[in-house]
Each structure stands twice: as C-alpha cells, then as structure tokens.
Amino acid sequence: MDEDDMSVTRTQGTPRLPAPDPAVLAAVEAAVPGITRSRASDRLGMAHDASHYLLTPQAVLVPRSAEQVGALMRAGLPLTFRSGGTSLSGQAVTDHLLVDTRRHFRGIEVLDGGARVRVQPGAVLRQVNARLAPHGRRLGPDPASEAACTIGGVVANNSSGMTCGTHANTYETLESMVLVLPSGTVLDTGAPDADARLRALEPDLAAGLERLRDRIRGNPESVRRIKAQFALKNTMGYGLNSFLDHDSPAQILAHLAIGSEGTLAFVAEAVLRTVPAHRLAATGLLVFPALRTAMATVPEIVAAHPAAIELLDAESLLVAQEDPKAEDVLRTLTVEDHAALLVEWQESDPELLADRERAAERLFAAFDLATPARLSGDARGRAALWHIRKGLYASVAGARPSGTTALLEDVAVPVPALADLCDDLAELFAKYRYERSVVFGHAKDGNLHFMLNERFGTDLQRYADFTEDMVDAVLGRGGTLKAEHGTGRVMAPFVRRQYGDELYAVMREVKRLCDPGDTLNPGVVLTDDPQAHLRDLKSVVTVEPEVDRCVECGYCEPVCPSRDLTTTPRQRIVLRRELAAARAAGDEDLARRLEREYEYDAVETCAVDGMCATACPVLINTGDLTKRLRAQSHGRVAQAGWKTAADHWGTVTRAMERALDVAAAAPPGAVEAAARAARRIGGPDTVPEWSRDLPSGGSPRRPATVPDADAVYVPSCLNTLFAPAEGGPGVMAAVLRLSERAGLRLRVPENIANLCCGTPWSSKGFTKGYEVMRRKVRESLLAATDGGRIPVISDAASCTEGFRRLAAAAGPAVEVLDAVSFVAQRVLPRLPAARRLPSLALHPTCSSTRLGLEGDITRIAEAVAEEVVVPEGWQCCGFAGDRGMLHPELTASATRAEAESVARGDFAAHASVNRTCEIGLTRATGETYHHLLELLDQGTA
C-alpha cells in the first residue's frame, strides 16, 4: 500500500459540518413528508455507533411503516438502515441518508404458544425474549449485546452468540419475512403465492436467483467451498448457502437477506422459530495454567454437550478480576499465562441436569486446572460469571487510554485450529506492539474475538499491516474473517480473497439483481476499494471522565426514558465529543449550534435516573454528567436561592403544599393559564407546569419521640408536597400503621420538617444547597439512630437512594433501608394474611431497580394480589422529581408503551413505590396508582 494513502481517514468533528444537499432533502419530503431530521445534533448524534467508523449522514429519516420505506426506495435515494446501533463493523453508518428503524418498528407478536414469534426490526432482543419467557421459549441467537441489540441487526448480521452455534442462528430459525425491495415492491415470503408474486413483480430478480442457484449447484468447487465456509459461523459476504439449502426464489431471497446488512432489501418484519428456554443451568469457570492447555480440552468438553464454552485469555482474566462481581477465586489468582473456559449446561429436567453435572465433574477431574473447578446452579453466581463475559469488550474498551479507539475483531476457524490461531494472534500483537489486547470468544464454535486499542491519526500503517497479516493467518487456517459481527466496511475489501473470484462474482450478481441502482447501504459488504477499511475511521478526542470511558456500545439506550423524545445517554456523550472536536477545529458556528441544541435535548430532558449506569458495562452514569453541566449553568443568585431553601426547607415545603391547595381549589383553566404565562416569563426549565391532574397539597411531617425504637422513620417530603392518591391513606400513614400492627416502634426525628434526601439539589446541580442538607441530615440521623444502633427507613425509593448517599457521610454505622424492604423483611411476617386483590399492575421504579428491591417488592405484591403484572414496556417514568412538571413531554414519551399495555389489561389495582411515579403513571394511564404499602395496609387492616 502506498505510504501516502495512510492518511485516508475522517476524524471526528471535521472543521465544518457539510450542509445536507437541498435537493436530497426535497426528494425525501416529496416522497414521505415530515420524517426528516437534519439539525446538527440529529445528524452527529446518529453518526456514531458501536463500530470504529464515523460518517455523518445528510439527514436522519424516521419512517413509520413499510409503505413509507417503500416510497423512499422508489425515490432512488441512497439509504442505510439503523436500529440498535450496536453493530461493530461499520455497517450502520453512512454519509448519505440514515433511516432510523428503531423508533416505529417495535412490534412483537407471540405465535403458536411461543413456538414462533413475529417481530419488527426495532424490537430489542431482550424484550422479545421477555415476551416469550412465559411460554418457556426464547429466540435462538443470543449475542452478548442482547440487552440493546434489535431484531433489525440480528437479522441483518445473521447474529448468533454464546450458545446457538450454527444450528439456531437467525438463518436456521427463519420461517418468513416481509421484504421491501429497492423498487418499492413489498413481498411476504411466507405467503402461499410468494414465488408467483416475486416472478410477476420482479421477473428479472426471480429468474436471476434461479440462474445463480443452478450455476452454483453445477460447479462442484463452488459447492465444496460454500459447504466448508458455512460449516463455520460465517457472516462474511452474502449467505451463498441459501442457493444450496433452498430451491424457490422467494426462500433463496429471504435467506440471502439474512446477513446482508441492509444492502439487498429492508426487512420490515420476520417470523422466527423459537427454541426452548431451559429453566435450569449449571455454570462454572475452568481456569488453566496456559491457553493451549485450555484449548486442548475443548473437544472433550464439546463431547459432553454443553450449551456454551466461552474462552477468556490471560488479559481477559486480568480485566475480569477488576469487576466488582468477580468471585474470590478469580480475584486472588495471580494471572500469568492463564486462560479460562466458562462452561454451561442447560436443561429443563433437574435429573438430566444432575447427570450432566456428574459427568462434567468426572471430566474436570482429569484436567490440569490452576484452580478447583465448581459448577453452580445458583442464579446469582451464574449471573455474575455471565456478567463478566458479556461485558468484557466494553469493560476492556472502557479502560483504554483516553483518546484511543477500541476495535473488536471477530473471526472463526475449525476448532482443531483454534490454539494455533491464538498463537498466531499473540505473535501479531507482539510484532505490532498492541498491548493489553484481549482474546475471548465462543470456543465451542472456533469463534474468537480480539480487541485492539488504536489511536487513529495520520499514520495508519501499523493497523493496515496488522490487518493484512491477520487476514493471512485466519484464511491460512481455513477460517472466515467475520463469524458473527458482519462484513460491514471493516472486511469488505477482503471478501474476494476469502471466497475466490467465482463466488465473489456470484455475490456481485446478487447485489446487482436485488439493488441495481446500488442505493442500499453503498460501500458495505462488497467494495472495489482495497482501502475501504482504512477510511472514515473514528478518532476520539479527550473531553471528560464520563465521556472518555464511553465505547459508544449503545447498551444504555433501551433503558433511557428520553430515548424517543430527544437523546439517549450515548448521544449525550457523542455530542459532547463533537462539541469538543468542533471547538478544537475552530468551528465556532458548529459549536454554538451544538451547545444551543444540547441544552434542551441533553440537559433539560435528562431524567438523571441513573438507569443508564445499570446497563453500561463500564458503569457510566450520564446523569452525573448532566448534574455537573446543570451546576455549571447556575449563577450566584440561583445557587444562593437554593442554599436558602435548604436552610429553611420546612417553610419551603409548607409553602408549596399551600400553593397546591390553592391551585386545586381555584378554577382549573385559570390556574393553567397562569402557569403557562409564568413559564413563558421564567422559562420551562424553571417554572413547573400545573395541570388539573396534579394532587392538592399533602400533610406536614411530624416528629415522634419514641424510646427504644426499632427504626428511625424519615417520611419523604413528597408526603408534605402531595396529597395521597384518591382512595388511599398515603404511604406515611400506611408505614406507621403497618409497623404498629406488627408491634414495631418507629421514631421520627425532631427536625423532620427540615430534612430532605438532597435529590432536589443534586439533580439540579445546586451544590451549595446540597452541602447544607448533607450536614443537616448527617447530624440528625446520627442522633436519631443512637449513633447507628437502629436503621433508617424512607418511604420513597428515590429518597432512599438520596438518604443513603447522605448517610454515607455519617459513617458506615448508619443503615438506610427502603420502607418496602423494611416491611417485607420485618413487618410482613408479623401481619395477618392479607385479603388479596385479583390482580395488580405494578410499576417498579428506576430507584427501586438500582437499589435491588425487586425481591422485596415481589414479596409484598404477591401478598397483596393473586396476579402481579409488570406491564410490557415498563421503564423509568421520567417524572424524576419535578422533571415531569417542568417537561411533561418527557413523562408522556417515557410511559407511552407501558400505558398502552396497562390499557389492554383489566387490573383491580395499580401500584408503584414512589409518589411522583404514582402521579406520572396516573397521568399516563388514567388509572389511580397507590404506593404498594398502602394496598398492604388496606388488605391487612
């Protein structure tokens, strides 16, 4: 390669963001009006995916139906489809038009008692499996990104994963799909007349596919090569095995579309066959003194029929040791040349699983292990092991040096060649000075992943030379250059080298037949550019801690309440990167635009709920970033005002209580008009929006001096601000009555009226007021708990979180429990059996999730109702303290899916564990939500 070509890379934040072509935008508007998003933030926020490529689209399009996609295709516009944005090979980025299929294509329909499922491309894999779980079924593909990846990518990349091998991947489990072809033709391949329709509507395509089928079958060398390639996990190029496995043009086309990365057609929906979701499993980590020793045992372990055998090399083990969930055996290991195999057996019959475990233990006894082997069926222990494995890539990438880009490669070879390939890679890492490059993967399938940290700049020679040598090593071992991540841009220049001229020519003809105008995802899968993998590489600037650790994997996006309204955590981070890059390039115009749009999109509509941290493999909480940005925007007057509020919180809350009482008593129209006028003057992020569905003011919190108390009760100030939901006593009364009924004594601090969990200050970035409240709470809790002798309980999950943070400053002696946990563990066993409701719709909160209250909530809910349902679409409600009153559109967006699910049900009651969440869900559903403890109080009275 010519030395001058090593500088061919587009770095992040070019000096000026090119304006979109007006003619292109006009063509989109003419084809499908109202679906174009072309602001700087829209384009740059969606330019980033989990890959190491970066291209900025001219616009982001958000169609609502297959018919709208067909209209776009008929316009002849270059389109790239993107859903979850978790792909790693550059197949979901473009400098043309990017079509967001996540927003409006989320349909999931369970068929035949779970034997099949009809899904749309925007449905998240984990959510599909959650719908199938009651039927004891799941989808075959099980990639590590299952919490965030969507069906669109699962189909487009022919995803597989940990356990499915080649027998249960997308290709093997497809029944039918609805395709939108570049001509605009919509074809349901499951229809009885699918072949007739294809021949009638697309005669050249149908005849061409049959011609290619016969060409391949008539060439013994082609048949041999295809069978050898697709005996492995293989997503390199197009799935030419379709021509051997299927006869009809409609079925050939459907299976070619799998793994085609959106280059042949748009998959509007697919019907997939499911596999059993075994309810029992035994998992263990086998640690060996050397990688080759571990590899030598794989054939024996495979013969014992495990569901998974996952490899972790020495570098992977070093990373795993840093994980908080790592077991002591792993933490204390002195890692040198070690390697480990994570093995798991899955069954639904406990006796069969026990047989598997006994056979495995006999097998392990003959192995040369560095630590004792142990299989565990404990759900918590198994989850910890899989957490380490599934989060390995992002954990390693998150610990990379600031300013570097993480690259994850994905190859497969026949299992007997696996150890040799590992040796080859180790030599290449040393030769090209790639340090801390981890190797891990699916050993059962000969499928390896390895990660490189690269600082892309002007010199790409090292990366280019490494890639050439790696390609030679993999192909020399009879392997494939892409096993499950898709060809994308990263391996497109090497497709011909892997398959040879004849099969490459067949792939070219497939592309020409399906997409004669080359409008679908140009430059992906097939390319004539031998340097395509070296272009448009992502160069990362250093910004701030939360931003710098992010690998842009997208795992955070499905749990973010603002994802359908403004931005996701990943987008908040990448826009900070783009802002820093624009400033570094001296592009002040772009920087000003990004700053202006960022304020509402990323700062004002962030719920700071922290749910992103529960999904992030490197534990980034973008809420912390938002709080810091809010703090930086506050002037002295605002900081002083909120500091004064902290000093006089009792007076402030009583004033707000009375204001809500006055508003509730006044004509609603007049109050709403006054609130709108005040918001116009003071700003929508400062003045709450009053609406007639808000409750009136609550009741003052009063101290209770109780000697020999069992706990200190700190009622949330939400009890003062908001009256209980209609028909309920309120959680404050419920906690006191339940405890009294159980014979437990609660003490309420003397200065309770002036105490708060601190969230109003921390969430808004008012640091001085927060410090005032921190000191008050610390002193009060130490005194009230007799120096930590008894625990503190709080009756709102978000407040429990806040008090825990504040109490930490008082020393580890002060224990803070949520009232739900206190009641479940200490009160419920002393209560009479409750009169159970027939059914209950339950909304756990973001705070209860982060606190790990699921078990206690379930115990109480099952004591309250015979049937407990967490509705489909559940997530953080986005009310977020007063955020739901400042920006009610956030709560409306966050609760839309859950509200639709609640409307389809017929529940006797509705409950949550936080007063503001109750208000938000009541507003969203039209059903009255109470605190769960209110229902328990009523049922045991």
Side-chain angles (χ1 to χ4, degrees):
M1 181 174 292
D2 186 72
E3 197 67 40
D4 292 338
D5 290 328
M6 291 299 96
S7 62
V8 183
T9 177
R10 174 211 185 273
T11 57
Q12 194 166 341
T14 50
R16 193 165 293 278
L17 178 68
D21 185 341
V24 171
L25 298 187
V28 173
E29 190 65 18
V32 186
I35 65 167
T36 304
R37 310 287 184 268
S38 58
R39 298 179 312 153
S41 292
D42 297 326
R43 297 168 63 198
L44 293 171
M46 287 289 282
H48 297 249
D49 71 350
S51 77
H52 55 277
Y53 291 92
L54 182 62
L55 288 141
T56 302
Q58 294 205 44
V60 178
L61 311 182
V62 192
R64 292 179 171 271
S65 65
E67 290 71 25
Q68 289 188 342
V69 173
L72 290 171
M73 288 184 167
R74 284 191 294 272
L77 300 166
L79 305 174
T80 292
F81 301 106
R82 166 172 163 165
S83 188
T86 60
S87 294
L88 293 161
S89 300
Q91 57 265 64
V93 295
T94 183
D95 54 3
H96 297 293
L97 294 169
L98 190 64
V99 182
D100 179 0
T101 64
R102 177 184 64 86
R103 188 71 60 91
H104 297 300
F105 292 86
R106 294 181 182 163
I108 304 170
E109 181 184 2
V110 176
L111 306 171
D112 302 333
R116 301 180 301 141
V117 62
R118 178 177 285 112
V119 282
Q120 290 185 318
V124 175
L125 179 56
R126 176 174 286 182
Q127 294 169 354
V128 177
N129 283 338
R131 292 283 297 274
L132 291 168
H135 305 279
R137 309 290 292 184
R138 64 173 178 85
L139 288 181
D142 60 337
S145 58
E146 54 91 23
C149 71
T150 60
I151 294 298
V154 168
V155 171
N157 296 327
N158 190 20
S159 293
S160 48
M162 314 276 184
T163 66
C164 77
T166 56
H167 68 280
N169 60 14
T170 314
Y171 179 93
E172 291 294 341
T173 56
L174 175 74
E175 181 166 294
S176 66
M177 60 174 59
V178 174
L179 291 168
V180 184
L181 300 175
S183 62
T185 295
V186 178
L187 179 72
D188 182 353
T189 68
D193 62 345
D195 286 311
R197 279 181 53 80
L198 184 60
R199 291 189 178 100
L201 298 174
E202 303 281 346
D204 292 343
L205 173 57
L209 292 174
E210 291 176 313
R211 186 172 61 252
L212 289 176
R213 176 198 63 197
D214 297 341
R215 173 177 167 179
I216 288 174
R217 293 180 179 184
N219 186 327
E221 175 58 20
S222 292
V223 172
R224 183 201 66 78
R225 198 159 194 167
I226 289 172
K227 286 184 176 179
Q229 286 286 301
F230 290 94
L232 304 170
K233 281 186 176 182
N234 181 17
T235 59
M236 191 71 170
Y238 292 129
L240 298 185
N241 50 334
S242 305
F243 290 107
L244 300 182
D245 298 338
H246 302 279
D247 297 321
S248 75
Q251 283 302 308
I252 290 172
L253 178 60
H255 286 81
L256 281 170
I258 295 174
S260 67
E261 301 171 34
T263 62
L264 304 180
F266 170 61
V267 181
E269 70 175 37
V271 176
L272 299 169
R273 294 182 293 275
T274 64
V275 300
H278 295 299
R279 60 190 182 88
L280 302 172
T283 312
L285 189 69
L286 309 180
V287 182
F288 296 85
L291 189 145
R292 198 167 264 282
T293 309
M295 291 295 96
T297 68
V298 170
E300 293 179 79
I301 300 174
V302 168
H305 307 293
I309 308 175
E310 294 295 299
L311 168 69
L312 293 87
D313 77 342
E315 286 294 338
S316 300
L317 291 175
L318 288 170
V319 172
Q321 286 182 321
E322 299 169 8
D323 192 295
K325 296 184 180 180
E327 291 186 337
D328 288 342
V329 172
L330 182 57
R331 285 179 187 274
T332 57
L333 179 69
T334 302
V335 177
E336 294 175 352
D337 298 323
H338 295 77
L341 297 175
L342 175 63
V343 294
E344 180 167 283
W345 280 264
Q346 299 174 353
E347 298 291 347
S348 294
D349 183 341
E351 292 186 7
L352 187 52
L353 181 63
D355 289 342
R356 298 282 194 207
E357 290 184 69
R358 284 190 289 270
E361 287 166 0
R362 289 194 296 270
L363 193 64
F364 298 164
F367 292 165
D368 177 16
L369 296 172
T371 63
R374 182 178 64 87
L375 285 176
S376 172
D378 172 65
R380 188 180 296 273
R382 290 182 50 249
L385 288 174
W386 280 112
H387 166 80
I388 289 169
R389 166 58 189 89
K390 290 186 175 185
L392 191 58
Y393 159 65
S395 296
V396 174
R400 73 196 185 284
S402 178
T404 60
T405 299
L407 292 77
L408 184 67
E409 294 295 351
D410 159 54
V411 300
V413 293
V415 171
L418 197 58
D420 291 330
L421 181 62
C422 288
D423 288 343
D424 294 340
L425 292 174
E427 291 175 8
L428 291 178
F429 295 153
K431 176 180 178 181
Y432 291 103
R433 304 181 312 283
Y434 283 113
E435 298 177 356
R436 295 212 70 180
S437 293
V438 298
V439 176
F440 57 97
H442 317 307
K444 179 167 64 77
D445 306 306
N447 178 193
L448 290 182
H449 304 312
F450 58 91
M451 205 195 83
L452 310 174
N453 288 325
E454 184 61 89
R455 194 179 296 274
F456 292 127
T458 57
D459 181 13
L460 299 177
Q461 192 69 51
R462 176 175 75 156
Y463 174 60
D465 291 346
F466 170 85
T467 301
E468 289 290 332
D469 285 353
M470 182 271 293
V471 167
D472 287 343
V474 173
L475 297 184
R477 303 277 180 201
T480 176
L481 298 171
K482 278 294 165 190
E484 54 185 9
H485 292 171
T487 310
R489 298 174 183 277
V490 70
M491 283 296 141
F494 304 99
V495 175
R496 184 194 295 266
R497 194 184 304 185
Q498 178 166 319
Y499 285 96
D501 291 341
E502 166 60 14
L503 292 181
Y504 184 75
V506 169
M507 291 185 188
R508 276 292 186 189
E509 182 64 4
V510 167
K511 174 67 172 175
R512 187 194 67 78
L513 288 168
C514 292
D515 182 22
D518 195 25
T519 58
L520 296 187
N521 216 0
V524 168
V525 179
L526 303 179
T527 182
D528 292 324
D529 182 359
Q531 299 171 31
H533 62 302
L534 303 176
R535 304 189 193 280
D536 307 306
L537 295 167
K538 187 186 292 180
S539 181
V540 179
V541 296
T542 298
V543 185
E544 52 216 343
E546 298 92 346
V547 171
D548 294 343
R549 294 206 319 278
C550 178
V551 295
E552 302 179 11
C553 65
Y555 287 17
C556 55
E557 294 192 330
V559 300
C560 178
S562 62
R563 69 181 185 275
D564 291 335
L565 178 67
T566 50
T567 55
T568 66
R570 170 166 60 179
Q571 290 168 340
R572 288 181 173 94
I573 283 175
V574 301
L575 288 172
R576 292 289 291 173
R577 286 177 170 162
E578 290 288 358
L579 177 59
R583 285 174 174 155
D587 191 347
E588 290 303 321
D589 175 67
L590 176 57
R592 282 192 295 270
R593 277 189 287 158
L594 290 174
E595 276 191 320
R596 184 171 62 250
E597 294 163 3
Y598 197 88
E599 184 61 27
Y600 175 76
D601 289 357
V603 179
E604 293 183 6
T605 53
C606 177
V608 296
D609 62 337
M611 287 299 288
C612 49
T614 68
C616 177
V618 292
L619 305 178
I620 297 172
N621 185 344
T622 51
D624 293 339
L625 170 63
T626 300
K627 292 174 187 178
R628 191 166 64 249
L629 294 176
R630 288 174 181 172
Q632 292 170 2
S633 69
H634 296 319
R636 292 181 183 176
V637 173
Q639 286 280 10
W642 278 83
K643 180 176 180 294
T644 300
D647 282 321
H648 306 283
W649 189 236
T651 302
V652 172
T653 54
R654 285 194 298 274
M656 290 191 284
E657 167 210 341
R658 289 165 188 160
L660 285 169
D661 283 338
V662 169
V671 180
E672 288 171 341
R676 285 194 296 271
R679 281 166 65 82
R680 283 194 296 271
I681 297 169
D685 202 50
T686 302
V687 181
E689 178 178 287
W690 187 90
S691 58
R692 62 192 70 195
D693 58 3
L694 282 176
S696 59
S699 304
R701 298 175 292 167
R702 305 188 187 283
T705 304
V706 176
D708 299 321
D710 296 288
V712 172
Y713 177 32
V714 185
S716 167
C717 47
L718 295 173
N719 292 287
T720 298
L721 293 175
F722 300 115
E726 183 178 353
V731 67
M732 185 162 60
V735 169
L736 292 170
R737 291 204 299 231
L738 286 167
S739 299
E740 182 179 7
R741 207 169 291 152
L744 297 174
R745 298 159 58 83
L746 300 184
R747 176 184 300 160
V748 181
E750 281 294 325
N751 61 337
I752 182 61
N754 284 299
L755 298 183
C756 178
C757 67
T759 301
W761 293 269
S762 65
S763 66
K764 295 176 182 293
F766 289 110
T767 53
K768 294 181 179 179
Y770 183 77
E771 181 59 26
V772 168
M773 189 56 68
R774 187 185 68 80
R775 287 197 303 269
K776 288 166 63 173
V777 168
R778 179 188 62 194
E779 294 165 3
S780 180
L781 294 188
L782 278 173
T785 62
D786 302 334
R789 181 183 65 82
I790 54 178
V792 173
I793 62 173
S794 171
D795 58 25
S798 61
C799 299
T800 303
E801 271 198 302
F803 278 121
R804 278 192 181 178
R805 284 191 293 268
L806 294 175
V814 177
E815 179 186 17
V816 178
L817 299 173
D818 190 80
V820 167
S821 292
F822 180 76
V823 170
Q825 296 167 19
R826 299 190 58 183
V827 175
L828 188 60
R830 304 182 181 204
L831 296 177
R835 299 179 299 279
R836 298 170 79 197
L837 298 164
S839 60
L840 173 67
L842 179 65
H843 175 84
T845 71
C846 52
S847 292
S848 69
T849 301
R850 289 195 305 274
L851 289 167
L853 302 183
E854 294 92 340
D856 291 331
I857 289 175
T858 298
R859 278 192 287 277
I860 294 176
E862 290 176 347
V864 165
E866 295 175 6
E867 180 188 17
V868 179
V869 176
V870 176
E872 296 165 10
W874 169 87
Q875 66 169 9
C876 168
C877 69
F879 207 91
D882 63 354
R883 198 71 13 194
M885 293 184 287
L886 294 170
H887 296 287
E889 68 275 16
L890 174 59
T891 297
S893 177
T895 56
R896 186 171 292 116
E898 185 174 357
E900 291 172 356
S901 180
V902 169
R904 292 193 298 269
D906 182 18
F907 301 102
H910 304 76
S912 187
V913 290
N914 214 88
R915 185 68 184 105
T916 52
C917 300
E918 296 161 26
I919 295 170
L921 268 295
T922 297
R923 175 183 287 176
T925 64
E927 304 287 350
T928 301
Y929 274 70
H930 294 92
H931 195 289
L932 185 59
L933 296 183
E934 293 182 73
L935 301 183
L936 182 65
D937 173 46
Q938 292 172 327
T940 57

